[in-house]
Amino acid sequence: QVQLAESGGGSAQAGGSLKLSCVASKYTVSGVSMAWFRQAPGKEREMVAVLWYDDIKNYADSVKDRFIISRDNAKNTLYLQMNNLEAEDTGIYFCAARYSGPRYLWGEPNRYGVWGHGTQVTVSS
C-alpha cells in the first residue's frame, strides 16, 4: 500500500530554518500533485503548500516568501524548506497525496486520499 513518511522536524529558534522530507513508498512523486499541511495544538489542520503535477506551486499566505515546496524525482521525495521560522509555525506537519478536485480547493484536507503520520516542528521565540 502507498505510504508517505515525513522526517526533518525538530526544534528551532524563531528566524531559523528547517527542511522537511516526505519519502513515498509504492507511489511516485513525479508528475503528481502533493501538498504539505500542518496542525497546531487545538486547531484544525491547515494548508501550507501544494506542488501540482505540472510543477506549479501554491502557498498559504502565512508562509509565502518563507517556505519552499519542491521534489526530487530521483529520490521519490517531497520537500518543504522552511525559512525565517516563526512561533506560529509550530505544529505537526503532514504530507498528502492523491488530490481530487479543482485547484482552488487544494486547502481542503478531505480531498487528499493519502497522508503521512506527520513530523513535529517546534519554534521558540
Short mmCIF file of all heavy atoms in Angstrom, two decimals, residues 12-45:
data_model
loop_
_atom_site.label_atom_id
_atom_site.label_comp_id
_atom_site.label_asym_id
_atom_site.label_seq_id
_atom_site.Cartn_x
_atom_site.Cartn_y
_atom_site.Cartn_z
N ALA A 12 13.51 24.63 16.66
CA ALA A 12 14.29 25.71 16.05
C ALA A 12 13.95 27.02 16.75
O ALA A 12 12.87 27.16 17.34
CB ALA A 12 14.02 25.82 14.56
N GLN A 13 14.86 27.94 16.67
CA GLN A 13 14.62 29.29 17.17
C GLN A 13 13.89 30.10 16.09
O GLN A 13 14.01 29.82 14.89
CB GLN A 13 15.94 29.98 17.49
CG GLN A 13 16.72 29.36 18.63
CD GLN A 13 16.10 29.67 19.97
OE1 GLN A 13 15.52 30.73 20.18
NE2 GLN A 13 16.20 28.71 20.90
N ALA A 14 13.13 31.06 16.53
CA ALA A 14 12.50 31.98 15.58
C ALA A 14 13.58 32.61 14.70
O ALA A 14 14.64 32.99 15.20
CB ALA A 14 11.72 33.05 16.32
N GLY A 15 13.29 32.66 13.42
CA GLY A 15 14.27 33.16 12.47
C GLY A 15 15.14 32.07 11.86
O GLY A 15 15.86 32.33 10.89
N GLY A 16 15.05 30.88 12.41
CA GLY A 16 15.86 29.77 11.92
C GLY A 16 15.20 29.05 10.76
O GLY A 16 14.17 29.49 10.23
N SER A 17 15.79 27.91 10.38
CA SER A 17 15.31 27.14 9.24
C SER A 17 15.25 25.65 9.56
O SER A 17 16.01 25.15 10.41
CB SER A 17 16.25 27.34 8.04
OG SER A 17 16.29 28.69 7.63
N LEU A 18 14.35 24.98 8.90
CA LEU A 18 14.26 23.52 8.92
C LEU A 18 13.86 23.06 7.53
O LEU A 18 13.17 23.79 6.81
CB LEU A 18 13.22 23.04 9.93
CG LEU A 18 13.55 23.12 11.42
CD1 LEU A 18 12.32 22.79 12.26
CD2 LEU A 18 14.69 22.19 11.77
N LYS A 19 14.25 21.84 7.18
CA LYS A 19 13.83 21.26 5.91
C LYS A 19 13.17 19.92 6.18
O LYS A 19 13.78 19.01 6.73
CB LYS A 19 15.01 21.08 4.96
CG LYS A 19 14.60 20.63 3.56
CD LYS A 19 15.77 20.61 2.61
CE LYS A 19 15.33 20.25 1.19
NZ LYS A 19 16.47 20.29 0.22
N LEU A 20 11.92 19.81 5.78
CA LEU A 20 11.16 18.59 5.95
C LEU A 20 11.24 17.74 4.68
O LEU A 20 11.31 18.28 3.58
CB LEU A 20 9.70 18.90 6.26
CG LEU A 20 9.44 19.84 7.44
CD1 LEU A 20 7.93 19.96 7.67
CD2 LEU A 20 10.13 19.36 8.69
N SER A 21 11.20 16.43 4.88
CA SER A 21 11.18 15.49 3.76
C SER A 21 9.97 14.58 3.88
O SER A 21 9.52 14.27 4.98
CB SER A 21 12.45 14.64 3.76
OG SER A 21 13.61 15.43 3.64
N CYS A 22 9.49 14.14 2.74
CA CYS A 22 8.38 13.18 2.69
C CYS A 22 8.74 12.14 1.65
O CYS A 22 8.68 12.41 0.44
CB CYS A 22 7.09 13.89 2.34
SG CYS A 22 5.68 12.79 2.03
N VAL A 23 9.12 10.96 2.10
CA VAL A 23 9.51 9.88 1.20
C VAL A 23 8.29 9.02 0.90
O VAL A 23 7.59 8.58 1.82
CB VAL A 23 10.63 9.03 1.80
CG1 VAL A 23 10.99 7.90 0.86
CG2 VAL A 23 11.85 9.88 2.10
N ALA A 24 8.07 8.76 -0.37
CA ALA A 24 6.92 7.96 -0.79
C ALA A 24 7.34 6.53 -1.08
O ALA A 24 8.39 6.28 -1.67
CB ALA A 24 6.28 8.58 -2.03
N SER A 25 6.48 5.60 -0.66
CA SER A 25 6.68 4.18 -0.95
C SER A 25 5.49 3.67 -1.75
O SER A 25 4.34 4.00 -1.44
CB SER A 25 6.81 3.39 0.34
OG SER A 25 7.90 3.83 1.10
N LYS A 26 5.77 2.86 -2.77
CA LYS A 26 4.73 2.31 -3.65
C LYS A 26 3.90 3.44 -4.27
O LYS A 26 2.69 3.29 -4.50
CB LYS A 26 3.84 1.34 -2.89
CG LYS A 26 4.60 0.12 -2.38
CD LYS A 26 3.71 -0.90 -1.71
CE LYS A 26 4.52 -2.09 -1.24
NZ LYS A 26 3.70 -3.11 -0.58
N TYR A 27 4.56 4.54 -4.54
CA TYR A 27 3.90 5.73 -5.11
C TYR A 27 5.00 6.62 -5.66
O TYR A 27 6.04 6.80 -5.02
CB TYR A 27 3.14 6.48 -4.01
CG TYR A 27 2.27 7.61 -4.49
CD1 TYR A 27 1.03 7.35 -5.06
CD2 TYR A 27 2.67 8.94 -4.35
CE1 TYR A 27 0.21 8.38 -5.49
CE2 TYR A 27 1.86 9.98 -4.78
CZ TYR A 27 0.63 9.69 -5.34
OH TYR A 27 -0.17 10.72 -5.75
N THR A 28 4.79 7.15 -6.85
CA THR A 28 5.80 8.03 -7.41
C THR A 28 5.39 9.48 -7.25
O THR A 28 4.24 9.85 -7.51
CB THR A 28 6.05 7.71 -8.90
OG1 THR A 28 7.02 8.62 -9.41
CG2 THR A 28 4.77 7.84 -9.71
N VAL A 29 6.36 10.32 -6.82
CA VAL A 29 6.06 11.74 -6.63
C VAL A 29 6.20 12.51 -7.93
O VAL A 29 5.80 13.67 -8.02
CB VAL A 29 6.98 12.36 -5.55
CG1 VAL A 29 6.86 11.60 -4.25
CG2 VAL A 29 8.42 12.45 -6.02
N SER A 30 6.76 11.89 -8.94
CA SER A 30 6.96 12.55 -10.22
C SER A 30 5.63 12.71 -10.95
O SER A 30 4.88 11.75 -11.11
CB SER A 30 7.92 11.73 -11.08
OG SER A 30 8.03 12.29 -12.37
N GLY A 31 5.35 13.95 -11.35
CA GLY A 31 4.17 14.19 -12.17
C GLY A 31 2.84 14.08 -11.46
O GLY A 31 1.80 13.96 -12.12
N VAL A 32 2.86 14.14 -10.12
CA VAL A 32 1.61 14.10 -9.37
C VAL A 32 1.53 15.33 -8.47
O VAL A 32 2.52 16.00 -8.23
CB VAL A 32 1.47 12.82 -8.54
CG1 VAL A 32 1.46 11.60 -9.43
CG2 VAL A 32 2.56 12.73 -7.48
N SER A 33 0.37 15.59 -7.96
CA SER A 33 0.17 16.72 -7.06
C SER A 33 0.30 16.27 -5.61
O SER A 33 -0.32 15.28 -5.21
CB SER A 33 -1.22 17.33 -7.30
OG SER A 33 -1.36 17.75 -8.64
N MET A 34 1.11 17.00 -4.85
CA MET A 34 1.30 16.67 -3.44
C MET A 34 1.33 17.95 -2.63
O MET A 34 1.65 19.02 -3.16
CB MET A 34 2.59 15.89 -3.23
CG MET A 34 2.60 14.54 -3.92
SD MET A 34 4.06 13.55 -3.58
CE MET A 34 3.80 13.14 -1.85
N ALA A 35 1.02 17.82 -1.35
CA ALA A 35 0.89 19.02 -0.52
C ALA A 35 1.46 18.81 0.87
O ALA A 35 1.67 17.67 1.31
CB ALA A 35 -0.58 19.42 -0.42
N TRP A 36 1.68 19.91 1.55
CA TRP A 36 2.03 19.93 2.97
C TRP A 36 0.91 20.64 3.72
O TRP A 36 0.42 21.70 3.29
CB TRP A 36 3.34 20.67 3.20
CG TRP A 36 4.56 19.93 2.78
CD1 TRP A 36 5.25 20.06 1.60
CD2 TRP A 36 5.26 18.93 3.53
NE1 TRP A 36 6.33 19.22 1.58
CE2 TRP A 36 6.37 18.51 2.76
CE3 TRP A 36 5.08 18.36 4.80
CZ2 TRP A 36 7.26 17.54 3.20
CZ3 TRP A 36 5.97 17.40 5.23
CH2 TRP A 36 7.05 17.00 4.44
N PHE A 37 0.55 20.04 4.84
CA PHE A 37 -0.39 20.64 5.77
C PHE A 37 0.27 20.69 7.15
O PHE A 37 1.29 20.04 7.38
CB PHE A 37 -1.67 19.80 5.86
CG PHE A 37 -2.62 19.98 4.71
CD1 PHE A 37 -2.34 19.42 3.47
CD2 PHE A 37 -3.79 20.69 4.85
CE1 PHE A 37 -3.21 19.57 2.40
CE2 PHE A 37 -4.68 20.85 3.80
CZ PHE A 37 -4.38 20.29 2.57
N ARG A 38 -0.33 21.42 8.05
CA ARG A 38 0.14 21.42 9.44
C ARG A 38 -1.05 21.55 10.38
O ARG A 38 -2.12 22.02 10.00
CB ARG A 38 1.13 22.55 9.67
CG ARG A 38 0.54 23.95 9.58
CD ARG A 38 1.63 25.00 9.66
NE ARG A 38 1.10 26.36 9.60
CZ ARG A 38 1.85 27.44 9.48
NH1 ARG A 38 3.18 27.32 9.39
NH2 ARG A 38 1.30 28.64 9.44
N GLN A 39 -0.80 21.12 11.60
CA GLN A 39 -1.84 21.18 12.62
C GLN A 39 -1.23 21.58 13.94
O GLN A 39 -0.37 20.86 14.48
CB GLN A 39 -2.56 19.84 12.75
CG GLN A 39 -3.79 19.88 13.62
CD GLN A 39 -4.67 18.67 13.44
OE1 GLN A 39 -4.26 17.65 12.87
NE2 GLN A 39 -5.90 18.76 13.89
N ALA A 40 -1.66 22.71 14.45
CA ALA A 40 -1.21 23.19 15.75
C ALA A 40 -2.12 22.62 16.83
O ALA A 40 -3.27 22.25 16.56
CB ALA A 40 -1.23 24.71 15.78
N PRO A 41 -1.64 22.55 18.05
CA PRO A 41 -2.46 22.02 19.15
C PRO A 41 -3.79 22.76 19.27
O PRO A 41 -3.82 23.99 19.32
CB PRO A 41 -1.59 22.23 20.38
CG PRO A 41 -0.20 22.25 19.86
CD PRO A 41 -0.28 22.89 18.51
N GLY A 42 -4.87 22.00 19.30
CA GLY A 42 -6.18 22.61 19.47
C GLY A 42 -6.74 23.28 18.24
O GLY A 42 -7.80 23.91 18.31
N LYS A 43 -6.05 23.15 17.12
CA LYS A 43 -6.51 23.80 15.90
C LYS A 43 -6.74 22.76 14.80
O LYS A 43 -6.26 21.63 14.88
CB LYS A 43 -5.50 24.85 15.43
CG LYS A 43 -5.36 26.02 16.39
CD LYS A 43 -4.50 27.10 15.78
CE LYS A 43 -4.41 28.31 16.69
NZ LYS A 43 -3.59 29.40 16.09
N GLU A 44 -7.46 23.18 13.77
CA GLU A 44 -7.70 22.30 12.64
C GLU A 44 -6.47 22.23 11.74
O GLU A 44 -5.62 23.12 11.74
CB GLU A 44 -8.91 22.80 11.84
CG GLU A 44 -10.22 22.75 12.62
CD GLU A 44 -11.40 23.13 11.75
OE1 GLU A 44 -11.20 23.60 10.62
OE2 GLU A 44 -12.55 22.95 12.21
N ARG A 45 -6.42 21.15 10.97
CA ARG A 45 -5.35 21.00 10.00
C ARG A 45 -5.49 22.09 8.93
O ARG A 45 -6.59 22.33 8.42
CB ARG A 45 -5.41 19.61 9.38
CG ARG A 45 -4.18 19.19 8.64
CD ARG A 45 -4.20 17.70 8.34
NE ARG A 45 -4.21 16.89 9.56
CZ ARG A 45 -4.02 15.58 9.58
NH1 ARG A 45 -3.82 14.92 8.45
NH2 ARG A 45 -4.06 14.92 10.72
#
